[in-house]
Amino acid sequence: KEELNRIKKQSNLQIYLGDVLGTYYLGFNLESNSSLARSKEARKAINLAIDRKRIIENILGDLGELAKGPIPPKIIDNSHLSGYSYNPNLAKEILRKEGLLSGEKIKVIIRDEPETALFYRLSQYLIEDLQKLGLNLEITKISPKDYLRPETIAKCHIFIGRWIADTGDPDNYLQPIFNYNNLTNFTRYNNPKLVEMMDEAKKIINPNKKLEVYKKIQDIILEDSPWAPIFHPKTAIVTRKGIVGARISPLGIINYENILIESK
């Protein structure tokens, strides 16, 4: 954020923002012994407790878009989604009903990284939001290389992850993270009906029908809440004034053939 503000003050520079096909999220270990694994209402409460705007404004500046769901909007349109408004009082009320405020220990893992690292800063904001609810958190730092190992996730209740697309194809994005048969489904979310829908969706040729099925798929995932989606990242290119055509694709590709220098 500070670097972006510094660049904006320089009259000879210009910034172009681009979307990244990815999502940062708070994930729940659905095979744990936590009440969070048993209660989707409790997981929805955690969604309500996250101040996404504060994270985006204070950590990212312009380099993030509030996530209404797990799928980046450049892959599947999400204009029909309302997303989660920040409502800690309602979150606390739900968690109290679900028994999460009775002292149950919630095990949270964070990456053991420098305090300036994005994941570390994100984890601190999320921990603050959860502590405001009165949750009893046990926080453990894990080295980045071990962080998303199955044996690590198995010992926690909450972790922080991200998923970045290889392509713009929705099936390519969804199958690794929401099909139980894939190890990259770190939450161990298990919904056979959803997998059937994903398998059918990728066979549909009509783009409008395909889109409608993927919207329903995202609705189901949001209802089950294996994630609390936080933001979709953005990237930026900085150029001198007089340079035109500098853009970055959602896959992080720059087409240098399109970059020109304006004649004086």
Side-chain angles (χ1 to χ4, degrees):
K1 179 181 177 181
E2 292 79 9
E3 183 68 9
L4 281 173
N5 290 334
R6 185 187 67 78
I7 292 169
K8 287 176 182 177
K9 292 176 182 177
Q10 299 188 45
S11 59
N12 65 323
L13 299 177
Q14 52 196 357
I15 301 174
Y16 296 104
L17 299 179
D19 295 290
V20 176
L21 299 181
T23 307
Y24 282 71
Y25 65 92
L26 182 149
F28 304 100
N29 173 10
L30 300 182
E31 292 186 333
S32 74
N33 60 1
S34 166
S35 296
L36 289 170
R38 297 188 292 274
S39 169
K40 70 179 179 182
E41 296 307 317
R43 299 194 295 273
K44 289 179 183 178
I46 298 297
N47 268 282
L48 290 167
I50 296 173
D51 192 346
R52 293 167 175 81
K53 289 183 179 179
R54 182 176 77 119
I55 289 169
I56 291 170
E57 289 173 4
N58 292 359
I59 299 179
L60 303 172
D62 292 325
L63 296 181
E65 176 184 355
L66 188 147
K68 296 180 181 179
I71 310 175
K74 285 292 186 289
I75 295 180
I76 293 296
D77 174 61
N78 67 0
S79 57
H80 72 293
L81 299 177
S82 58
Y84 281 94
S85 298
Y86 178 52
N87 194 334
N89 291 330
L90 178 57
K92 192 179 293 186
E93 182 181 326
I94 295 170
L95 290 175
R96 187 176 291 112
K97 288 180 181 177
E98 297 298 311
L100 266 291
L101 299 184
S102 59
E104 177 182 338
K105 189 176 291 183
I106 303 298
K107 298 178 181 179
V108 182
I109 59 170
I110 65 173
R111 293 172 188 259
D112 188 5
E113 293 181 316
E115 293 184 5
T116 54
L118 173 57
F119 265 109
Y120 187 87
R121 295 182 69 192
L122 175 59
S123 69
Q124 297 313 298
Y125 274 62
L126 292 171
I127 287 168
E128 285 178 15
D129 287 340
L130 297 181
Q131 287 177 331
K132 287 176 186 175
L133 299 174
L135 289 171
N136 180 16
L137 304 183
E138 178 184 284
I139 299 163
T140 304
K141 290 184 178 181
I142 305 292
S143 69
K145 67 181 179 65
D146 295 324
Y147 189 76
L148 290 178
R149 293 183 184 275
E151 58 269 26
T152 302
I153 299 292
K155 296 176 183 177
C156 82
H157 302 146
I158 287 176
F159 64 95
I160 300 163
R162 71 175 174 190
W163 191 252
I164 306 295
D166 296 322
T167 70
D169 178 72
D171 186 68
N172 176 271
Y173 186 84
L174 288 166
Q175 290 278 359
I177 47 178
F178 295 121
N179 186 327
Y180 186 78
N181 295 322
N182 293 317
L183 289 177
T184 45
N185 177 349
F186 301 115
T187 65
R188 307 314 297 144
Y189 176 51
N190 189 3
N191 187 333
K193 178 62 178 176
L194 186 83
V195 175
E196 285 181 23
M197 290 180 68
M198 289 194 292
D199 289 341
E200 288 301 316
K202 65 183 177 184
K203 299 175 186 176
I204 299 174
I205 297 174
N206 183 300
N208 293 325
K209 289 183 179 179
K210 183 185 284 283
L211 176 61
E212 289 307 310
V213 175
Y214 278 116
K215 284 183 177 179
K216 291 177 183 176
I217 286 170
Q218 180 154 233
D219 290 342
I220 292 170
I221 296 170
L222 280 170
E223 173 63 22
D224 290 340
S225 295
W227 284 12
I230 304 167
F231 67 87
H232 307 297
K234 291 179 178 286
T235 189
I237 296 178
V238 179
T239 69
R240 288 185 292 106
K241 291 284 177 68
I243 303 293
V244 296
R247 298 290 188 275
I248 189 165
S249 77
L251 296 177
I253 299 170
I254 301 173
N255 189 341
Y256 291 96
E257 294 178 357
N258 293 337
I259 300 176
L260 304 171
I261 300 176
E262 287 183 323
S263 59
K264 296 182 179 180

